[in-house]
Amino acid sequence: MSDAYDRAVEAVLFAATEPLTRDAIRAHAGDGDVAGALDRLTVHYRGRGFELVERGGRWHFQTAADLAHLLRRGRDEIRRLSRAGIETLAIIAYHEPVTRAEIEAIRGVQTARGTLDVLMEAGWIRPAGRREVPGRPLMFTTTPEFLSHFGLKSRRDLPGVDDLRAAGLLDPVDLAFDQLAVENAGEED
Amino acid sequence: MSDAYDRAVEAVLFAATEPLTRDAIRAHAGDGDVAGALDRLTVHYRGRGFELVERGGRWHFQTAADLAHLLRRGRDEIRRLSRAGIETLAIIAYHEPVTRAEIEAIRGVQTARGTLDVLMEAGWIRPAGRREVPGRPLMFTTTPEFLSHFGLKSRRDLPGVDDLRAAGLLDPVDLAFDQLAVENAGEED
Amino acid sequence: MTDAVPEQLTLDLDGFEGPLDLLLSLARAQKVDLRDISILQLVEQYLGYVERARVLQLELAADYLVMAAWLAYLKSALLLPRDPEVEPDVEELAIRLQLRLERLDAMREAGARLMARDRLDRDVFRRGAPEGLHVVRKAFWSVEYYDLLAAYGQVKARTRPALHVVRDREVVTLETALARVAALLGTAIDWREIERFLPETPNPRLRRSSLASSFLAALELARQGRAELHQEAPFAPLYLRRVAS
């Protein structure tokens, strides 16, 4: 490799246990053209056994997706999410920040105990402030780990997000109307 | 990369949690020219940020030895001084050279172990001889770093007590105490 | 046909996550594109479902019945000529219901697409044994100049009264002077200058205080008839004598 700085960036990314921001790379590799190095390394590793990818402004190496079958062997199968968990995660990702009441309004049912816990435990969502409405409900957003895990460069990479937005399906939730059924059902508890 | 098998070997070595024998590589990557792939990969990574190395018949990637220093980096961490630390520093600056007992007399409270250490670690104060009284206590003065941190040419640049009062830095608490003094005086009569 | 329904109905309801889920399934059975569904037909289907459950005396969760009541209202309003006075607009309610179904459907679809992506630790993997990056932290202390000055101001403000008290202790109180003058008077028979009743001190401030309080003590003793005072002229020496009892 011709460029000593590219080499340093490559070594730092390779040794890191976590995806690194440009600032973190610079903190270790020293001052230099981080962006240029990342571009050149991305091109260099394209099509190899592992690749350099960006996830939410953080960079890491990961194996090529088409080699998954070679590498899954002998690994613990990751826990399967329930249908409620998958829907809740999708709602948070596409509507964030979003409150529990808004999630319930979209799903039409109360969120079972544990659904949000499982997503938080997985490190994919986190509480992010409160909505300034009566009751000040907690809002949830996705995390950088969510982007890393699902291979998304940023939230703009969410599948079909532009079409959904254009169709008005990501507009703010009208709680007054949509929560009707949920509230009534909730009175049982 | 031309060879699909080289790619598989590369990915397997990258994802492995420990150095792999040729047999172990073959178990994951499938049948193929493992030795040839290892040779080609060794050549490819020579001189890059990390290298493919063999140790006792086992293969693994490791960061290039000459870049190991990048993996350990010092970082400045900005920390704020505690209230006791700021007060102690101020007293030393205004009264230097001053002993610990004198600082405590002025502050009216004991100086926690470590407060002076932090100020010395910050490079703002230093021991400056001993006071020739029983016990020969250590005296402290400020350092040139102290002056430069606060942009002062000399200690004479520190505002006097009258200046502090004029700036309102003395008054709020002052009034309360004056009130108290009057009340105490009243009790004596 | 009715004979076959009970079993299937029970099973189906078990599989639904609430009335909205059931509505969405019914809507999807109508057409592929949710934007073209017939709300009226959907309402009919839902109410039919609930009615059959009622006939078969299956216990339905309350939220299914709440939704049924709301849909029955929507249906009657849709069938009646529109009354512009009534709010909200029925057509609007129907569109909103449709949007809700579309949104839930979209989120389901999105969830499925997310799960099908190349996921870290399932389809793609990070390096198995990274060396790790280590950061050696070096503390760098920071204080603002203002904070330094404000802290000193507060120390001064806090401790000044204490210094005051130390200085003010250098006084002779009236009680002390009274006791001293009375005691010394007992030992003297003739006139004596008031200065001779004062304790010896090199401190001029203390001496002034002592003189003032001793003078007051003398006046008090005179008032009580225990002492006599004598002075030749203003600012002349002041003499003091015990009154023989």
Side-chain angles (χ1 to χ4, degrees), chain A residues 59-92:
Chain A
W59 297 76
H60 71 259
F61 281 116
Q62 66 179 30
T63 55
D66 64 310
L67 299 175
H69 62 285
L70 300 177
L71 304 169
R72 273 195 206 120
R73 218 165 299 160
R75 286 180 191 262
D76 299 333
E77 186 65 29
I78 53 174
R79 232 168 111 190
R80 292 184 70 86
L81 267 189
S82 67
R83 185 172 141 194
I86 296 170
E87 276 181 29
T88 302
L89 180 62
I91 290 166
I92 294 171

Side-chain angles (χ1 to χ4, degrees), chain A:
Chain A
M1 183 182 289
S2 53
D3 193 318
Y5 191 68
D6 286 8
R7 222 181 137 234
V9 171
E10 184 180 42
V12 166
L13 283 165
F14 193 72
T17 53
E18 300 291 326
L20 299 180
T21 62
R22 286 179 186 173
D23 285 346
I25 294 168
R26 197 182 318 257
H28 283 274
D31 271 335
D33 179 15
V34 177
L38 289 170
D39 282 348
R40 286 185 289 275
L41 289 169
T42 303
V43 170
H44 176 83
Y45 281 98
R46 193 169 289 151
R48 294 193 67 93
F50 51 93
E51 299 170 334
L52 182 58
V53 295
E54 183 198 352
R55 303 287 181 248
R58 291 157 197 270
W59 297 76
H60 71 259
F61 281 116
Q62 66 179 30
T63 55
D66 64 310
L67 299 175
H69 62 285
L70 300 177
L71 304 169
R72 273 195 206 120
R73 218 165 299 160
R75 286 180 191 262
D76 299 333
E77 186 65 29
I78 53 174
R79 232 168 111 190
R80 292 184 70 86
L81 267 189
S82 67
R83 185 172 141 194
I86 296 170
E87 276 181 29
T88 302
L89 180 62
I91 290 166
I92 294 171
Y94 284 77
H95 290 82
E96 70 179 51
V98 67
T99 67
R100 187 191 183 106
E102 289 157 359
I103 295 166
E104 292 178 345
I106 294 173
R107 296 194 61 231
V109 283
Q110 288 213 309
T111 306
R113 223 183 162 68
T115 303
L116 289 167
D117 292 2
V118 164
L119 297 175
M120 278 195 273
E121 199 190 328
W124 294 336
I125 67 165
R126 62 180 175 83
R130 294 178 181 278
R131 173 101 58 225
E132 290 303 333
V133 296
R136 302 188 69 242
L138 211 54
M139 299 185 289
F140 293 90
T141 58
T142 54
T143 61
E145 289 76 44
F146 165 81
L147 296 176
S148 294
H149 183 86
F150 290 97
L152 300 163
K153 198 166 171 182
S154 75
R155 284 190 57 241
R156 284 193 302 274
D157 262 9
L158 286 167
V161 69
D162 291 337
D163 293 340
L164 294 177
R165 183 165 293 118
L169 293 176
L170 302 184
D171 291 349
V173 183
D174 184 352
L175 280 181
F177 177 85
D178 291 343
Q179 216 188 354
L180 181 80
V182 175
E183 275 172 359
N184 285 314
E187 280 165 19
E188 278 176 81
D189 290 354

Side-chain angles (χ1 to χ4, degrees), chain A residues 12 20 23-30, chain B residues 70-73, chain C residues 133-135:
Chain A
V12 166
L20 299 180
D23 285 346
I25 294 168
R26 197 182 318 257
H28 283 274
Chain B
L70 298 178
L71 310 188
R72 273 190 86 77
R73 269 290 151 116
Chain C
L133 299 173
H134 302 281
V135 177

Side-chain angles (χ1 to χ4, degrees), chain C residues 45-72:
Chain C
Q45 285 177 327
Y46 184 93
L47 293 178
Y49 227 98
V50 170
E51 175 62 15
R52 265 177 287 160
R54 197 188 60 78
V55 168
L56 294 165
Q57 297 186 312
L58 293 176
E59 205 161 310
L60 278 183
D63 50 346
Y64 284 88
L65 300 175
V66 170
M67 180 63 90
W70 189 81
L71 290 177

